[in-house]
Amino acid sequence: MTKASHIPVLVEEVVVGLAIEPGDTIVDGTFGAGGYTRALLGAGAGRVIGFDRDPDAIANGPSLVPDPRLMLVEERFGRMHEALAARGLLPVDGVALDIGVSSMQLDRAERGFSFMNDGPLDMRMSQSGETAAEFLNAADEAEIARVIKLYGEEPRARSVARAIVAARPLTRTAQLASVVRRALGYRAGQKSDPATRTFQAIRIHLNAELDELEAGLRAAERSLRPGGRLAVVTFHSLEDRIVKRFLKSRSGAMPAGSRHRPMAVSGPAPSFEHVAKPVSPSESEQARNPRARSARLRTAVRTDAPAWDQEKNG
Ligand SMILES: C[S@@+](CC[C@H](N)C(=O)[O-])C[C@H]1O[C@@H](n2cnc3c(N)ncnc32)[C@H](O)[C@@H]1O
């Protein structure tokens, strides 16, 4: 059996939030190490469709969760609607998303996500497309600074970008980590590693994670039956803001118009209701699993109104 080093975060709360009924069909949009899927099947789901964009996660899936009720699909969750339609599985009763990388991805140095374990500068979840090395060795300084500022919220993004450009070509994660630490000043024993923000930023950029999260929310809106439930776990404020704004606007709690385009008197009918207050991990979960500290769960229930604008209007 494949070893799963990933500890699922807020898993009990996700199962409660999805209010599983026996026989339900649930999408686990981020299968990872199968932690959520196992819990969903344990709670009585009749079928779980596990999506992951990482071919390794899909390949390991059957040994991590050997259960005939599990169907695995190698696909981005932003495309779940098309993938479910092609298999005749629409609509579904619940959708769970657990955003970010898994410990399996982080722990395997050869995937290039980690500044703790040296590996090639890769960071691609789907193992296709541009690598971190290709991006960092080709982009100009302003573009690198923009990415690090926007997705890493690194206040000294300019200095980091300058140091990266001066150190090119970069090929290894340890090399990038030491360039960033030198640029920002790192004292051994410092609480958080200054390379954290830069690694997060490059990963989010390469995998277009924020665009994909928006696409995933819209895909879930189109895939859920009336009364079906959505549960989304995020790990930092950039992601949480996207989920919060989406559910606010879709539940009618936020005007859909903008400064430039005043709101129509009657916008689309709310497609979600019962938007719950965000849930954070208990102190005991945070003590057990430090990775859970920043996690936040948001849940909502699909109404019977049509999905809003099919492709845009996030
Ligand atoms: C935090 S882990 C999920 C862990 C899982 N809930 C568990 O308990 O084992 C996130 C997983 O989602 C996958 N992932 C991230 N973005 C994705 C996307 N847009 N589409 C499909 N899978 C994605 C990653 O490859 C990773 O395996």
Side-chain angles (χ1 to χ4, degrees):
M1 182 159 156
T2 314
K3 186 172 159 279
S5 56
H6 186 91
I7 307 171
V9 174
L10 283 168
V11 61
E12 283 158 31
E13 292 82 351
V14 166
V15 169
V16 169
L18 291 175
I20 314 274
E21 299 281 348
D24 274 357
T25 295
I26 309 288
V27 167
D28 179 352
T30 48
F31 178 80
Y36 280 18
T37 287
R38 211 173 293 115
L40 295 167
L41 291 168
R47 172 154 50 186
V48 171
I49 302 130
F51 285 85
D52 207 293
R53 73 198 293 190
D54 184 340
D56 287 356
I58 297 299
N60 290 332
S63 64
L64 288 172
V65 186
D67 191 311
R69 295 172 294 164
L70 169 63
M71 178 188 289
L72 285 159
V73 181
E74 185 187 326
E75 184 55 275
R76 291 181 284 120
F77 54 62
R79 290 186 41 79
M80 78 174 81
H81 185 261
E82 293 81 351
L84 294 168
R87 292 165 178 78
L89 294 169
L90 287 171
V92 296
D93 303 298
V95 173
L97 298 175
D98 179 17
I99 303 306
V101 275
S102 69
S103 303
M104 297 196 301
Q105 289 165 328
L106 280 172
D107 292 348
R108 289 189 45 222
E110 66 271 27
R111 297 299 304 272
F113 287 103
S114 171
F115 52 83
M116 316 278 269
N117 310 307
D118 184 34
L121 260 181
D122 190 313
M123 302 197 202
R124 299 166 304 164
M125 288 182 186
S126 63
Q127 304 183 28
S128 65
E130 188 180 39
T131 65
E134 284 163 355
F135 168 65
L136 291 173
N137 290 327
D140 63 30
E141 190 180 309
E143 170 65 357
I144 296 172
R146 187 189 69 82
V147 165
I148 295 173
K149 178 135 206 127
L150 185 62
Y151 301 132
E153 298 178 307
E154 169 58 65
R156 295 174 59 203
R158 273 259 158 216
S159 312
V160 175
R162 201 174 312 125
I164 287 173
V165 168
R168 294 199 293 210
L170 293 166
T171 57
R172 310 284 300 176
T173 59
Q175 196 187 356
L176 174 62
S178 85
V179 168
V180 178
R181 287 175 191 141
R182 234 179 298 127
L184 296 178
Y186 178 56
R187 282 166 283 112
Q190 202 171 308
K191 201 160 148 242
S192 71
D193 193 313
T196 313
R197 291 190 292 270
T198 294
F199 270 71
Q200 170 190 301
I202 296 167
R203 190 202 89 207
I204 290 177
H205 168 70
L206 282 179
N207 295 288
E209 290 179 42
L210 302 187
D211 288 348
E212 184 56 25
L213 174 55
E214 293 200 11
L217 296 171
R218 290 195 300 268
E221 181 192 31
R222 282 185 277 153
S223 304
L224 283 166
R225 68 163 169 82
R229 286 162 187 260
L230 173 65
V232 187
V233 173
T234 59
F235 287 85
H236 55 77
S237 55
L238 293 169
E239 297 166 345
D240 183 52
R241 206 175 303 147
I242 289 172
V243 182
K244 180 177 162 185
R245 289 178 65 91
F246 176 85
L247 291 177
K248 254 191 162 176
S249 79
R250 293 305 203 261
S251 61
M254 189 170 73
S258 72
R259 207 152 49 84
H260 310 289
R261 183 172 56 88
M263 190 186 29
V265 177
S266 57
S271 56
F272 281 97
E273 61 186 354
H274 303 303
V275 176
K277 287 214 161 63
V279 174
S280 299
S282 63
E283 281 184 16
S284 72
E285 176 167 9
Q286 293 184 41
R288 256 182 293 128
N289 182 9
R291 202 181 73 84
R293 259 180 239 146
S294 56
R296 195 153 273 208
L297 164 67
R298 292 187 186 266
T299 57
V301 179
R302 184 73 171 86
T303 67
D304 59 6
W308 291 22
D309 181 306
Q310 298 291 303
E311 295 305 328
K312 292 186 205 80
N313 265 5

